[in-house]
Amino acid sequence: MERISYKGEKVSIGIDVHKNQYTISCISKGAIICKATLPADPVKLVNYIKRRFEGAEVKSVYEAGFSGFALHRILESSEIDNIVVNAGSIEVASRDRVKTDRRDSQKMAGLLDCGRLRGIRIPSVEQELSRLLHRTREQLVRDRSRIGNRIKMRLYQFGITPPKKVTKTSLTALLEKQIFAPELKYSLENYISQWKSLDKNICEINKKLEELGELDKLYQIYKSIPGYGLLVASMLSTELGDMTQFPSERSLFSFLGLTPTERSSGESERKGHISRQGSARLRCVLIEAAWTAIQNDEYWKNEYKRRVLRIGGKRAIVAIARRLIGVARALARKGEYYQQQPLFESTKKEAA
């Protein structure tokens, strides 16, 4: 049987990526022309597309996930126009409760064919590598917290009040001051050994981040901002760079999920909680940085107080987080360090 030629035609391919297989759906002129399941091998996928759609204008899409951007780079290097999309940006009908690999790939192909998908920004390999340190640190911090909670639960189990805060000093004192049954002591010693090992690894990464930061002007600019310490400055430098990719503050706030949701109709206007789109990791550390700033800097403390009575504590701290990241964007674009903001006369009198 003679194979249909798609030379000169536009073909949109949705790829549902899994560890062991790729499920693909291909659409041309609004009609499904091919469905297939292939081994999770980028080279075999490229060969299949090249052979099946020789001479066609091929575009493809897949969701960002565990596999990163290796597949994207191979598709692009093979002259296949590919985008990677955030899973949350794919439209889902309110009554669509059936989810399969084939339906997912078909949905992506259809939206791509209609031009209703927008790809995320793809980092370079160097940028991905630069993010590994603080992402590894985050995982280790979570593991350390988990072990700390297990220590507390084990103590509670036998009627022993654990230390309020799990630290190297409190854990050492715990073993020295308390007399435990041999089995409980052995269990605690194992957990404490794991906790101290993780704590040591985190300290080593902190040191490494500081060493790298001394060679990175962006890191130094961000660290000059109130509330922005080692972790925040490192994350902003490696995750967002100089923020020139954001044409306005509004687009930056939207990317970080720091803009309020809105439900307005006619004369009624209602604004709710923040959208929470984008990176939850970045948003979390920026909110924490805002709390640090209002505790340690008089100008930002005053800015928070001016808002809190009018819009409440939660919205006020989000507003401070937005202003701080806006300042960070402006300083990075200019290549300047943060300058201490002057206090109003009324504020100075209050402080006195």
Side-chain angles (χ1 to χ4, degrees):
M1 184 177 177
E2 188 177 349
R3 180 172 289 173
I4 299 173
S5 174
Y6 294 96
K7 188 173 183 179
E9 301 287 345
K10 293 182 178 180
V11 177
S12 300
I13 302 176
I15 309 169
D16 194 67
V17 178
H18 285 277
K19 292 178 183 177
N20 300 318
Q21 66 182 35
Y22 298 147
T23 302
I24 67 171
S25 296
C26 311
I27 291 178
S28 181
K29 296 180 179 178
I32 299 172
I33 57 174
C34 173
K35 290 182 180 180
T37 299
L38 304 172
D41 183 336
V43 176
K44 288 183 179 178
L45 176 62
V46 168
N47 291 339
Y48 176 88
I49 294 172
K50 291 285 188 181
R51 185 176 66 252
R52 188 69 185 265
F53 305 111
E54 185 178 359
E57 184 184 333
V58 178
K59 292 186 177 182
S60 62
V61 58
Y62 70 90
E63 292 179 0
F66 74 96
S67 60
F69 305 107
L71 174 58
H72 169 81
R73 295 186 182 108
I74 291 173
L75 289 168
E76 288 283 311
S77 65
S78 303
E79 299 181 345
I80 296 172
D81 186 9
N82 182 74
I83 62 171
V84 182
V85 296
N86 191 310
S89 67
I90 297 176
E91 301 170 14
V92 180
S94 60
R95 296 189 179 183
D96 186 359
R97 299 187 180 182
V98 179
K99 179 174 169 55
T100 66
D101 297 346
R102 286 203 169 190
R103 285 177 69 108
D104 287 348
S105 65
Q106 185 178 326
K107 190 183 298 177
M108 285 189 286
L111 292 171
L112 181 64
D113 190 53
C114 296
R116 291 165 66 179
L117 286 180
R118 186 173 65 179
I120 61 175
R121 182 170 175 262
I122 307 298
S124 66
V125 176
E126 292 74 18
Q127 287 173 325
E128 281 198 277
L129 290 171
S130 69
R131 298 171 181 178
L132 279 181
L133 272 181
H134 62 75
R135 292 194 177 189
T136 301
R137 182 189 183 279
E138 288 173 17
Q139 291 173 333
L140 293 177
V141 168
R142 284 197 296 271
D143 291 342
R144 184 181 64 179
S145 297
R146 196 173 293 117
I147 296 296
N149 289 333
R150 287 176 182 171
I151 292 169
K152 287 184 176 182
M153 290 304 101
R154 190 64 71 233
L155 291 169
Y156 277 127
Q157 181 183 353
F158 291 94
I160 302 167
T161 303
K164 289 183 179 180
K165 188 173 182 181
V166 176
T167 63
K168 192 184 298 183
T169 304
S170 67
L171 291 175
T172 302
L174 179 72
L175 288 177
E176 289 176 352
K177 293 178 181 179
Q178 292 276 1
I179 300 175
F180 301 108
E183 296 84 356
L184 177 56
K185 185 176 182 181
Y186 180 79
S187 176
L188 289 172
E189 284 176 341
N190 270 276
Y191 282 140
I192 290 171
S193 175
Q194 292 178 52
W195 191 95
K196 287 184 176 180
S197 176
L198 289 168
D199 188 63
K200 181 183 177 183
N201 291 338
I202 293 166
C203 290
E204 288 173 355
I205 291 178
N206 288 346
K207 187 177 179 181
K208 184 69 175 176
L209 287 172
E210 284 191 273
E211 290 173 359
L212 293 174
E214 291 177 2
L215 307 174
D216 181 3
K217 186 175 180 182
L218 271 179
Y219 167 88
Q220 295 168 18
I221 289 172
Y222 293 140
K223 201 177 179 194
S224 69
I225 299 170
Y228 284 21
L230 168 70
L231 183 59
V232 181
S234 172
M235 288 183 72
L236 291 183
S237 177
T238 55
E239 299 278 349
L240 301 182
D242 59 6
M243 304 195 210
T244 52
Q245 67 270 33
F246 302 106
S248 65
E249 281 191 349
R250 184 181 293 273
S251 63
L252 172 60
F253 300 157
S254 178
F255 174 80
L256 294 169
L258 290 172
T259 51
T261 54
E262 182 174 348
R263 289 188 178 182
S264 301
S265 179
E267 296 179 358
S268 173
E269 182 178 315
R270 294 181 180 179
K271 291 188 177 182
H273 57 71
I274 55 175
S275 66
R276 298 189 180 94
Q277 294 176 336
S279 172
R281 297 165 48 255
L282 276 173
R283 188 166 54 254
C284 180
V285 297
L286 290 175
I287 296 294
E288 288 181 7
W291 282 115
T292 304
I294 66 171
Q295 290 166 6
N296 297 289
D297 187 277
E298 287 299 323
Y299 173 80
W300 292 103
K301 183 187 292 184
N302 180 52
E303 290 296 299
Y304 175 74
K305 285 180 179 179
R306 289 199 306 116
R307 289 167 171 78
V308 73
L309 294 176
R310 180 167 51 89
I311 59 177
K314 288 184 178 180
R315 290 186 178 182
I317 201 64
V318 171
I320 296 299
R322 276 199 298 267
R323 279 204 58 192
L324 281 168
I325 192 63
V327 168
R329 173 181 174 272
L331 293 175
R333 291 163 73 94
K334 295 177 183 177
E336 298 176 356
Y337 294 97
Y338 180 84
Q339 300 295 323
Q340 187 66 40
Q341 299 298 307
L343 295 176
F344 295 111
E345 288 300 322
S346 58
T347 310
K348 290 179 182 178
K349 290 176 182 176
E350 288 175 12

